[in-house]
Amino acid sequence: MLGLTAASSAATAADKITVAGVYTAPIEQQWINRIHEALSAAEARGDIEYTFSENVAQVDAQRVQREYANRGVDLVVGDSFHDERGFRRLAEDYPETDFLMGSSFPPQGQNFSVFDNFIQECSYLTGMIAGGLTETNTIGLIGGFAIPEVNRLMHGFMAGVREVNPDVRFIVNFIDSWYDPPKAKESAFAMMDAGADIMYAERFGVSDAAEERGALAIGNVIDTQHQYPDTVVASAIWNFEPTADAAIARVRDGTFTGEDYGKLSHLAHGGCELAPLGTFKGKVPDDLMARVNERAGQIKSGEFTVEVDDSEPRSN
C-alpha cells in the first residue's frame, strides 16, 4: 500500500511525522508483527501517520523504500539483512529521509540507525521453565535461518535450560525460511519422534506439531498461548515500542542520527518480557517460578548477565 501524500522531511513538534514500514514477510510473521504493532500503537496515539507494504519480495524491497523516500516520508522502517550494502547506499542517496533498519551491523552516518531483537534475556527465562518441565530431558529447537538474530535467542534459551537441568539433550534444526509453517511442522514431528517433549518454537508451525502430539512448546517474540492454550507454556516477548518511540521522538525533534537501538530490546528497558503463564499458571511449580523471577530481577538490576552468543547452535 503506497498511497501516502508527500510530507516534509523536516517534521516539527506540531506535526505528525510520516512513517513507512517495508516488510519482506506478512505482518503475521512474529518479528514483523511486533514492529507493526508498535508503529500502529504510535499511530493510534496520534504521534505518526503510518503506512506499510508487507510481503515485499527481497529483490523489490529497495525499490519500495525508494518510492517512499521519493514521496517524502520522514522515517522508513524495515530490515537490511538480505542486502546490507544496498540499503546503506540507499540511505546515502536520501539524506533527508531517516532510516531505522534491522541489522547485524553498526549504524551509519546521520540517517541510518539500526535495531535488533536482543531478547536473549527473556529467552533465558523461558529456558529455565523448559528445563524444569521436561520429562524426557530432550528439547527440540527449530529456527528460520542460522543468523545472529536467531542464534543468540536459541543460545539464551539453552543456557537457561542448563541452569535448571544440565542433563538436557538439545536437537537443533533450521528450516532456511522465515515463513514456512509446513516445513517447520515436519521438522518438529521428527524431533518429537526422537524423544523431544518440549519444542522451542522460533517459527510458526512448531506449536501446531506440538499441539497435535500433546507436547509442550515455548514461544518466541509474540505470545501465542491464546491459540495454543494447552501447548505454549511461556514465551519471550519482544516489545518494539521502546525502539519505535525513541526513534519517533528523535525524528520529531530533529536529533535523529545514526544510532544503535539494540539495548532498548533488553529487559531493563522494557524491550522484552516473559509472557504471563496464563493457562499454565499453577501447572508450573512454584519453586521453579520463584527461581525464574529471582533471576529476572538480577538481570534487570545488572547483577546477572545473559551472554550474547551469535554462533550457530548445534545439537548435542
Side-chain angles (χ1 to χ4, degrees):
M1 45 190 295
L2 291 172
L4 184 71
T5 58
S8 169
S9 60
T12 68
D15 300 324
K16 292 181 183 180
I17 70 169
T18 52
V19 179
V22 180
Y23 309 127
T24 56
I27 57 172
E28 289 80 14
Q29 193 256 14
Q30 298 103 304
W31 194 79
I32 291 172
N33 179 264
R34 300 306 295 150
I35 299 171
H36 176 69
E37 289 295 322
L39 294 176
S40 296
E43 182 179 45
R45 292 195 305 267
D47 294 344
I48 65 174
E49 293 181 8
Y50 171 53
T51 190
F52 65 94
S53 297
E54 63 176 317
N55 215 19
V56 176
Q58 291 185 356
V59 295
D60 289 333
Q62 276 191 56
R63 174 186 60 77
V64 175
Q65 289 200 12
R66 188 177 295 274
E67 289 182 13
Y68 279 126
N70 283 331
R71 290 169 183 263
V73 299
D74 299 306
L75 177 66
V76 176
V77 181
D79 66 75
S80 57
F81 298 118
H82 54 278
D83 187 4
E84 192 76 35
R85 292 177 181 173
F87 282 105
R88 289 171 183 267
R89 287 195 299 268
L90 179 66
E92 291 175 351
D93 291 343
Y94 292 90
E96 299 303 314
T97 303
D98 294 321
F99 293 83
L100 178 63
M101 305 291 286
S103 174
S104 304
F105 296 93
Q108 172 183 292
Q110 299 301 307
N111 69 328
F112 191 95
S113 286
V114 298
F115 67 88
D116 211 338
N117 60 335
F118 283 94
I119 63 171
Q120 65 280 345
E121 296 167 336
C122 292
S123 297
Y124 187 100
L125 300 178
T126 63
M128 292 179 66
I129 294 172
L133 292 181
T134 179
E135 296 179 353
T136 64
N137 277 358
T138 301
I139 294 177
L141 298 89
I142 295 174
F145 291 92
I147 63 172
E149 292 70 26
V150 176
N151 298 345
R152 71 174 69 107
L153 306 189
M154 286 188 167
H155 278 297
F157 171 80
M158 295 163 76
V161 171
R162 285 191 291 265
E163 175 179 333
V164 174
N165 189 345
D167 297 324
V168 166
R169 177 173 70 104
F170 297 106
I171 309 174
V172 182
N173 186 42
F174 295 91
I175 62 172
D176 295 328
S177 172
W178 289 132
Y179 194 76
D180 191 342
K183 190 173 183 180
K185 189 174 182 180
E186 180 182 357
S187 180
F189 281 142
M191 292 183 181
M192 288 183 285
D193 287 342
D197 64 344
I198 297 181
M199 299 298 306
Y200 177 77
E202 199 271 329
R203 292 293 101 193
F204 280 143
V206 177
S207 295
D208 296 282
E211 182 180 51
E212 287 188 25
R213 292 286 182 88
L216 299 178
I218 298 295
N220 178 64
V221 177
I222 63 175
D223 185 4
T224 58
Q225 194 185 78
H226 64 287
Q227 296 172 257
Y228 309 96
D230 299 318
T231 303
V232 175
V233 181
S235 300
I237 305 302
W238 180 37
N239 295 325
F240 190 68
E241 285 79 0
T243 297
D245 294 348
I248 290 167
R250 285 162 174 70
V251 174
R252 183 178 299 281
D253 64 20
T255 61
F256 192 95
T257 188
E259 188 175 355
D260 187 347
Y261 289 81
K263 68 180 181 181
L264 296 183
S265 289
H266 291 176
L267 187 61
H269 293 277
C272 76
E273 63 180 305
L274 185 65
L277 292 178
T279 55
F280 281 87
K281 187 174 183 180
K283 299 178 184 178
V284 179
D286 290 342
D287 59 341
L288 175 58
M289 284 310 302
R291 290 184 64 178
V292 171
N293 292 330
E294 180 182 15
R295 185 60 81 204
Q298 293 169 342
I299 292 171
K300 284 184 179 180
S301 69
E303 182 181 349
F304 183 84
T305 299
V306 177
E307 298 298 330
V308 175
D309 186 348
D310 288 342
S311 65
E312 181 175 347
R314 307 281 185 180
S315 303
N316 65 347

